[in-house]
Amino acid sequence: MKHIDLKQIVCDKSYIGKTVDVCGWVRTSRDSKNVAFAELNDGSMLEHVQVVFDKAVFANADELSAMLSLGAALAVTGKVERGMKNESVEILAEKATLLGGSDSTYPLQKKRHTMEFLRTIPHLRVRTNTFNAVFRVRSELSYAIHKFFHENGYYYVHSPIITGSDCEGAGEVFKVTTIGYDPSVKSEDEYNKKDFFGRPAGLTVSGQLEGEVMATALGKIYTFGPTFRAENSNTPRHAAEFWQIEPEVAFADIDDIIGIATDMIKSIIAHLLEHCAAELKFFDERFEPGLIKKLQHVVDSEFARIDYKDAIEVLKKSGKTFVYPVEWGLDLQTEHERYLTDEYFKKPVFVVNYPRAIKSFYMKQNPDGVTVAATDLLVPGVGEIIGCSEREADYDKLLAEIKSRGMKLSDYANYLDLRKFGTVPHSGFGLGLERMMMYVTGMSNIRDTVEFPRTKDELR
Ligand code: 4AD
Ligand code: MG
């Protein structure tokens, strides 16, 4: 269809006085004796453009009333004029076509809806200002991530979605199977042999293991794709399907990778401040007062860094009563992470050198024998957004770790080979895209950062 984006006529004042063809959906409308108004949005920007209908031109009242229905889709030809508000433009309609009508059952009527209600209409909520802004930021954020890695010499690699191993070893893998219930199958082994791959298969929880394969030939790589976890926890920060960005870097130790993660976070936030100014201002006003200042501060200041054992001491001395115990050897819970970031550091913090027993098998063992060269990046308001580590590059140590955790050796034979042939120090991390979205938009629930959230008992 011949038309131009509303963004173009708003941003380029040379359109004033010209006749244009535009399309969009009616967001709000007003009717009065001689004129009617419809605010049109076509998704090209947060702002709406007002279309003015002169009733002398649009004599057919039925037709005009259908065009003023909230949610209706219109194509309008008209002259661009300077609007009433500063810098705004409006369109004086000469001709308009109703592309798709709407009616009073359209769920997005004028009142402000709760986020909970909007989650029940995932197919329509993107037509609200909030979700229009969320998904524009998500697109720009993804672009900024690709841009950062591309400009720094990384290759974008595609790790498989169906895998035969559990990277994190947390037993949260969704099964992939083509066989239903079959009472004639006598054992798990028989069932697996009959199944599509002839062995157990699942949806990947992380592209890291394949990422390491690629990094030990290409040097610097990153993955960017969906990952899946059958986590039984119904929290505002956990999704069953989420996107992860996982760089893997050869010839890099834990300090190198912490530097890379810091540069990446700063770079993508700076990009958003520049390219999503209107959206961030909207979130700052409606969802998280001070959001822009917070993000600017992240770009301008150093991230904090604390050893896990010192973090435990900080928590013990906090004077707070936590629900979960604080003890060396126990994992940090959300309440602990939130205290460290929201109250103690008030900025992003890397917690480094976690106890080996609570972390994954692949992490490099520190000389003390009880901790690993691993770090989580925690941020105020969200908690963990990055899980990061130097990988165990020593064949014998890795083999012993896999065995001691009771993992199936044959599943990790190729992975062990990387330590047999030309092993090198290497490190990587995983950034959760939706957690990052929560941080940059102020959305307090992960369900509001992804188009179609998949969480426990929820699949719309
Ligand atoms: O800390 P995780 O489990 O680390 C890994 O998967 C490593 N293999 C990454 C690597 O080193 N290549 O997950 C990484 C990040 C978390 O910090 C969090 O941001 C996100 O993924 N994440 C989730 N996001 C939403 N819902 C969930 N259930 C998530 N689980 C992890
Ligand atoms: Mg983690």
Side-chain angles (χ1 to χ4, degrees), residues 88-194:
S88 71
V89 293
E90 57 184 34
I91 295 173
L92 188 57
E94 288 156 14
K95 206 177 96 195
T97 312
L98 183 66
L99 297 175
S102 181
D103 61 32
S104 59
T105 63
Y106 181 60
L108 299 174
Q109 297 297 325
K110 262 173 197 157
K111 72 179 176 95
R112 199 168 166 193
H113 300 283
T114 64
M115 300 300 269
E116 288 76 15
F117 168 73
L118 292 173
R119 268 175 231 145
T120 67
I121 46 167
H123 60 303
L124 294 174
R125 69 175 179 168
V126 62
R127 298 189 192 187
T128 61
N129 288 339
T130 300
F131 286 96
N132 229 254
V134 163
F135 296 123
R136 209 168 301 106
V137 169
R138 189 174 164 119
S139 168
E140 201 62 37
L141 175 61
S142 304
Y143 171 69
I145 292 165
H146 281 298
K147 185 163 160 269
F148 172 82
F149 287 115
H150 190 80
E151 287 177 353
N152 286 286
Y154 288 71
Y155 297 104
Y156 176 33
V157 304
H158 301 104
S159 46
I161 289 181
I162 301 176
T163 60
S165 58
D166 178 0
C167 171
E168 291 307 303
E172 291 161 346
V173 180
F174 280 102
K175 270 194 169 146
V176 172
T177 173
T178 51
I179 335 183
Y181 173 69
D182 180 352
S184 74
V185 176
K186 292 287 172 289
S187 68
E188 197 177 340
D189 206 37
E190 193 186 328
Y191 175 90
N192 288 331
K193 284 209 176 85
K194 269 182 109 170

Side-chain angles (χ1 to χ4, degrees), residues 168 206 208 229 231 239 242 244 246 384-385 387 391 429 432:
E168 291 307 303
S206 159
Q208 178 193 324
R229 290 191 195 178
E231 265 172 304
F242 60 99
Q244 229 187 125
E246 296 186 272
E384 178 194 338
I385 60 167
R391 319 308 189 186
F429 65 82

Side-chain angles (χ1 to χ4, degrees), residues 229-246:
R229 290 191 195 178
E231 265 172 304
N232 220 338
S233 45
N234 198 346
T235 80
R237 322 184 306 147
H238 288 90
E241 177 177 316
F242 60 99
W243 283 61
Q244 229 187 125
I245 297 92
E246 296 186 272

Side-chain angles (χ1 to χ4, degrees), residues 359-388:
K359 287 291 185 186
S360 302
F361 75 97
Y362 53 72
M363 295 177 175
K364 184 182 164 66
Q365 296 167 25
N366 285 327
D368 64 11
V370 291
T371 62
V372 281
T375 179
D376 283 352
L377 176 62
L378 315 178
V379 298
V382 182
E384 178 194 338
I385 60 167
I386 281 180
C388 172

Side-chain angles (χ1 to χ4, degrees), residues 15-140:
Y15 278 102
I16 291 171
K18 290 189 182 143
T19 296
V20 294
D21 299 291
V22 297
C23 297
W25 293 271
V26 176
R27 288 296 193 81
T28 64
S29 62
R30 258 178 322 127
D31 201 1
S32 65
K33 197 158 163 261
N34 299 320
V35 280
F37 305 91
E39 297 260 334
L40 218 57
N41 187 290
D42 66 353
S44 62
M45 68 188 306
L46 192 58
E47 221 176 283
H48 310 155
V49 170
Q50 176 159 277
V51 178
V52 184
F53 297 95
D54 180 347
K55 291 196 177 174
V57 179
F58 293 86
N60 183 340
D62 282 356
E63 187 190 47
L64 189 57
S65 128
M67 287 187 191
L68 296 179
S69 275
L70 300 194
L74 308 182
V76 176
T77 305
K79 196 157 129 209
V80 182
E81 299 196 325
R82 220 172 267 284
M84 300 291 272
K85 278 185 280 173
N86 269 354
E87 294 294 306
S88 71
V89 293
E90 57 184 34
I91 295 173
L92 188 57
E94 288 156 14
K95 206 177 96 195
T97 312
L98 183 66
L99 297 175
S102 181
D103 61 32
S104 59
T105 63
Y106 181 60
L108 299 174
Q109 297 297 325
K110 262 173 197 157
K111 72 179 176 95
R112 199 168 166 193
H113 300 283
T114 64
M115 300 300 269
E116 288 76 15
F117 168 73
L118 292 173
R119 268 175 231 145
T120 67
I121 46 167
H123 60 303
L124 294 174
R125 69 175 179 168
V126 62
R127 298 189 192 187
T128 61
N129 288 339
T130 300
F131 286 96
N132 229 254
V134 163
F135 296 123
R136 209 168 301 106
V137 169
R138 189 174 164 119
S139 168
E140 201 62 37

